[in-house]
Amino acid sequence: VNNGSYNYDLYVFGSGSIIFPSSMTNWYNNRKYIKEVITMIKKAAEFTPDYRENMRGGNGTIQITHFATPAELNDKGRMFSNITLAPGCSIGYHVHEADSELFYIMKGEALYNDNGTEITVKAGDTTVTPSGSGHSVRNDTNEPCEILALIVYA
């Protein structure tokens, strides 16, 4: 690509592309590996909810909408998602061994089990389950509970 003043090299990968000034091409070509070029904006209409029955031994069907792939998290985590717990639904108790999970309660409230201690969490609250710790979450209310969840590697 030449705009009349400068030469540029255009690289196209799947659905993304990237332009480098020609002087940077050697730097780019000498990288150890090329990761997928990631689109920086994702529109709400692009997300498809996933439904999990009795997640981790919990009750009911949980709706999970994934916002990012592990590659988009620079392979530093495995989940950045919205979890919706309908009334009466739960995610069963489980221990995180090689990762940590953070919840931000966006809407509603739920009963959160923090290593055996149950605490009510409400919109605006954040929970952190470090590696080696366990947790569960249960919606005992009559309204949905929405949680932003992030799992990062320890």
Side-chain angles (χ1 to χ4, degrees), residues 24-153:
M24 291 183 68
T25 301
N26 286 335
W27 168 83
Y28 185 75
N29 288 336
N30 289 324
R31 291 176 59 187
K32 287 186 178 179
Y33 54 91
I34 299 172
K35 285 195 172 186
E36 161 190 0
V37 174
I38 297 170
T39 303
M40 294 186 58
I41 298 173
K42 292 182 173 185
K43 297 291 190 171
E46 297 175 41
F47 302 117
T48 303
D50 181 25
Y51 297 91
R52 300 212 186 143
E53 195 75 30
N54 306 112
M55 187 169 175
R56 305 269 189 186
N59 295 323
T61 302
I62 307 302
Q63 178 181 313
I64 301 176
T65 304
H66 299 285
F67 298 133
T69 66
E72 291 166 328
L73 295 172
N74 292 316
D75 296 317
K76 305 264 189 275
R78 62 182 175 90
M79 188 169 91
F80 177 54
S81 305
N82 181 70
I83 298 173
T84 302
L85 298 172
C89 292
S90 64
I91 298 172
Y93 188 85
H94 59 284
V95 175
H96 286 265
E97 295 294 344
D99 53 35
S100 299
E101 185 166 23
L102 295 88
F103 285 169
Y104 175 76
I105 312 304
M106 297 190 305
K107 177 181 172 185
E109 68 179 63
L111 191 60
Y112 181 82
N113 181 325
D114 178 13
N115 283 308
T117 302
E118 292 188 333
I119 301 166
T120 298
V121 291
K122 298 179 180 185
D125 293 343
T126 298
T127 68
V128 178
T129 305
S131 182
S133 297
H135 69 144
S136 66
V137 63
R138 182 175 75 234
N139 183 354
D140 287 336
T141 73
N142 293 323
E143 300 292 327
C145 178
E146 289 189 26
I147 301 168
L148 182 64
L150 174 65
I151 298 178
V152 295
Y153 298 126

